Amino acid sequence: MNRSSILIIYTGGTIGMKEDPVDSTLKPFDFSQILESVPELGKFACKIDSYTFNPLIDSSDVEPSIWQSIARLIRDRYDEYDGFVVLHGTDTMSYSASALSFMLNSLSKPVVFTGSQLPIGKPRTDGRENLVSSVEIAAAKDEQGNALVPEVCVFFDSHLYRANRSTKVNSENFDAFNSPNFPPLAEAGINIKYYDVLIRKPQNWYERLTVNEELDTRVSILKIHPGITAQVVRNILCGPETRAVILETYGSGNSLTKDWFIDIVREASAMDKILVNVTQCLGGTVNMDLYATGKPLKDAGVISGYDSTTESALAKLFVLMGRYSDNDKVRAALLEDLRGEISR
Ligand code: ASP
């Protein structure tokens, strides 16, 4: 079998940061210092190249234009590599990885996002293990030479998650990510165990990779909470700048049933706004038929986001709205499971 080749795409994040001697804040440094800190990478029987973003960013500053750059880079270098590892800050990793999962069509190679909670230069860093395992996963192939995980995923603290199912759940523990509505795709212990039945495979391994480059970002997120006012709800749902709103509701998709609230939701629907219901709960799904507090939303034109994470719903909307100018087409595609992001 040919030696695998991997492209590491370094965008920034804690993994590559070091302390600024002047103000003691963490700032990004260059990739050669990452390589020096991880000599284990040299022991792999695969060729490893790197691409460094300029400027490197703390992922709190990530923009859709960076997702477009990552997607274009993967498309342009696709034939040269067997897999891609994206080094990214943890704060918005699930947003970026979800976006890439919808932007890349006919993916047949792994795209593994990873990062760390402690910079790679620190003695107790989690970055070394995250990076080394991500490279191993990105290079892993079966006997036919096909990638074991031809998906966009997030590797963190021994677990490989489907990107659009992942979410950051802890700001300081090493197990910072989880995938509450879908089991991990692989686990790293002494060996890496791949759960093959859970991993999505392309229909045609040889189809050309294409990119949905167009993103329409006119989306707002409204988190329902006790004491929310009509003015706030109206500004967000009916604002001229929004084409779609993600409603983060309680439990299985419930919201307040006050007349003023449902009237504003109806008003937004009449304005052709795309309204998607996701739950504030970490796990579980939206079912607007279950309670009398969910049904009025459905009747007012809100569509179910099922068990989608907010990050995935946002990314899916950006991509679908970039693709279709007709909001009904967007609504229809939202209900479909496009990349394993919802269970229906
Ligand atoms: N603020 C950092 C970032 O997201 C945090 C991290 O990487 O863990 O870039």
Side-chain angles (χ1 to χ4, degrees):
M1 205 185 299
N2 288 341
R3 215 161 69 111
S4 290
S5 49
I6 301 299
L7 181 65
I8 299 180
I9 301 169
Y10 175 36
T11 67
T14 297
I15 191 162
M17 291 187 184
K18 70 174 176 199
E19 220 167 85
D20 186 314
V22 180
D23 63 6
S24 304
T25 58
L26 289 173
K27 305 233 168 83
F29 64 101
D30 66 83
F31 189 75
S32 57
Q33 298 186 53
I34 295 189
L35 283 184
E36 274 167 33
S37 309
V38 195
E40 296 88 335
L41 286 178
K43 295 188 188 144
F44 276 114
C46 63
K47 172 175 167 278
I48 299 176
D49 291 338
S50 66
Y51 178 96
T52 300
F53 269 67
N54 186 9
L56 290 164
I57 56 156
D58 182 303
S59 79
S60 307
D61 275 327
V62 86
E63 294 280 347
S65 60
I66 292 179
W67 303 340
Q68 288 162 328
S69 302
I70 300 173
R72 284 187 201 120
L73 179 65
I74 292 174
R75 179 196 56 204
D76 295 347
R77 314 288 292 273
Y78 199 65
D79 293 339
E80 291 170 57
Y81 296 98
D82 299 289
F84 300 84
V85 173
V86 183
L87 297 184
H88 194 286
T90 59
D91 287 343
T92 58
M93 191 184 295
S94 290
Y95 286 94
S96 298
S98 294
L100 264 290
S101 78
F102 294 109
M103 291 172 79
L104 301 175
N105 298 310
S106 312
L107 185 67
S108 59
K109 298 180 181 183
V111 176
V112 186
F113 278 72
T114 196
S116 69
Q117 292 284 57
L118 272 178
I120 212 145
K122 297 263 181 191
R124 288 179 52 249
T125 185
D126 51 331
R128 213 171 295 129
E129 133 76 5
N130 286 348
L131 175 54
V132 169
S133 297
S134 296
V135 169
E136 182 165 339
I137 291 165
K141 293 183 187 173
D142 65 17
E143 276 148 23
Q144 283 74 47
N146 292 324
L148 287 189
V149 192
E151 289 208 35
V152 183
C153 15
V154 166
F155 182 85
F156 224 87
D157 192 47
S158 317
H159 290 96
L160 184 73
Y161 302 110
R162 176 168 298 149
N164 53 40
R165 294 291 195 155
S166 72
T167 190
K168 185 173 178 181
V169 291
N170 200 295
S171 63
E172 48 187 291
N173 290 357
F174 287 152
D175 57 345
F177 285 82
N178 209 327
S179 166
N181 285 327
F182 201 78
L185 303 178
E187 268 175 90
I190 293 177
N191 295 307
I192 299 182
K193 264 192 246 154
Y194 293 91
Y195 301 115
D196 198 49
V197 285
L198 301 173
I199 298 171
R200 286 166 66 86
K201 303 282 159 66
Q203 278 174 349
N204 175 355
W205 287 93
Y206 303 103
E207 208 172 314
R208 245 219 102 70
L209 177 96
T210 58
V211 174
N212 296 317
E213 286 191 53
E214 210 61 53
L215 301 173
D216 182 346
T217 60
R218 290 175 294 163
V219 183
S220 292
I221 300 173
L222 176 65
K223 183 167 182 162
I224 307 293
H225 59 84
I228 199 165
T229 64
Q231 202 179 6
V232 166
V233 175
R234 175 167 286 103
N235 284 346
I236 295 178
L237 289 195
C238 304
E241 299 306 327
T242 46
R243 191 174 157 198
V245 181
I246 297 169
L247 292 152
E248 273 197 3
T249 57
Y250 306 128
S252 53
N254 307 313
S255 72
L256 48 167
T257 51
K258 298 254 173 22
D259 285 347
W260 65 261
F261 181 80
I262 301 300
D263 284 347
I264 299 172
V265 175
R266 281 204 202 99
E267 200 179 315
S269 278
M271 294 168 80
D272 196 29
K273 304 285 186 188
I274 302 162
L275 306 174
V276 186
N277 190 350
V278 302
T279 175
Q280 293 177 12
C281 295
L282 199 51
T285 192
V286 161
N287 178 354
M288 288 184 279
D289 293 317
L290 203 58
Y291 289 97
T293 42
K295 191 83 172 35
L297 288 181
K298 187 176 173 186
D299 295 341
V302 177
I303 60 173
S304 178
Y306 296 95
D307 57 351
S308 174
T309 60
T310 300
E311 294 90 325
S312 171
L314 186 83
K316 194 171 175 182
L317 275 165
F318 281 8
V319 169
L320 291 175
M321 293 187 348
R323 181 140 154 223
Y324 302 117
S325 52
D326 177 348
N327 285 357
D328 281 337
K329 286 204 174 133
V330 175
R331 289 188 189 93
L334 277 169
L335 294 172
E336 279 174 44
D337 174 19
L338 302 177
R339 300 283 198 268
E341 74 281 7
I342 49 174
S343 324
R344 297 209 42 186

